[in-house]
Amino acid sequence: MATSRRAFLKSGAVASVFAGLYFSGSETVLGQPTPDQSGDSTNAPPADTRPAFEYKASVFEPHLGSVFKVRAGVKVTMLTLVNLKRIEPRAPEGKPVPQGENFSLLFRADNELSTVQTIYELDHESLGKFPLFVSRFMNENDREGIYYEAVINRAT
């Protein structure tokens, strides 16, 4: 069935009008709160100020050897923080070295999380709950066990 140019333009114009009416009455667009008259956002949740959300090496160093719980579906896996390695930032030749803090966290797991790399919510006794992207890591020195790594690059 062929559609004429006139019918196509008419249906597009009608859709645009209805979309404009729909979104103009909405308080939020794409999940973002609408600022009030003073420019402040009244519906914005407060920023999370827990130390783990700073993702600094100094936050994780005191917790080497401690256990982080991770829920992957219905099973809970325990991750033990076994290593924290600082990484020196590098830049291509002729470019300035980026400023910030780069480090990796190596965890030993009591069982496999998932075959999918994703962001998991870690739960720690002192640090609380926080999201972290971890991926499977093959440790060349110790073939025993299951390891996961998180790499943090903080630009300042």
Side-chain angles (χ1 to χ4, degrees), residues 83-95:
N83 192 9
L84 185 147
K85 179 181 165 187
R86 294 182 187 276
I87 303 168
E88 287 298 317
R90 293 184 288 169
E93 190 174 320
K95 300 282 184 177

Side-chain angles (χ1 to χ4, degrees), residues 34-144:
T34 306
D36 64 7
Q37 299 300 340
S38 66
D40 294 333
S41 181
T42 56
N43 297 338
D48 199 330
T49 57
R50 291 181 293 188
F53 283 87
E54 295 177 13
Y55 293 113
K56 292 182 179 180
S58 60
V59 169
F60 291 98
E61 277 176 328
H63 303 290
L64 279 167
S66 66
V67 176
F68 295 75
K69 292 181 198 175
V70 178
R71 183 174 303 278
V74 294
K75 85 178 165 181
V76 174
T77 300
M78 303 300 185
L79 299 179
T80 304
L81 181 59
V82 294
N83 192 9
L84 185 147
K85 179 181 165 187
R86 294 182 187 276
I87 303 168
E88 287 298 317
R90 293 184 288 169
E93 190 174 320
K95 300 282 184 177
V97 176
Q99 298 299 308
E101 182 178 31
N102 308 312
F103 61 96
S104 70
L105 302 170
L106 185 65
F107 298 94
R108 184 178 26 238
D110 64 351
N111 57 46
E112 196 169 331
L113 284 173
S114 172
T115 56
V116 178
Q117 293 182 358
T118 188
I119 297 173
Y120 293 97
E121 183 174 78
L122 277 66
D123 187 5
H124 187 265
E125 185 178 282
S126 300
L127 300 174
K129 292 182 181 182
F130 58 95
L132 193 63
F133 180 83
V134 295
S135 59
R136 187 77 186 260
F137 178 81
M138 177 56 94
N139 189 350
E140 292 139 8
N141 299 329
D142 182 4
R143 299 268 178 197
E144 299 294 321

Side-chain angles (χ1 to χ4, degrees), residues 10-56:
K10 183 178 177 182
S11 64
V14 170
S16 297
V17 168
F18 281 112
L21 290 173
Y22 176 77
F23 285 117
S24 68
S26 175
E27 286 188 21
T28 60
V29 175
L30 300 176
Q32 299 298 314
T34 306
D36 64 7
Q37 299 300 340
S38 66
D40 294 333
S41 181
T42 56
N43 297 338
D48 199 330
T49 57
R50 291 181 293 188
F53 283 87
E54 295 177 13
Y55 293 113
K56 292 182 179 180

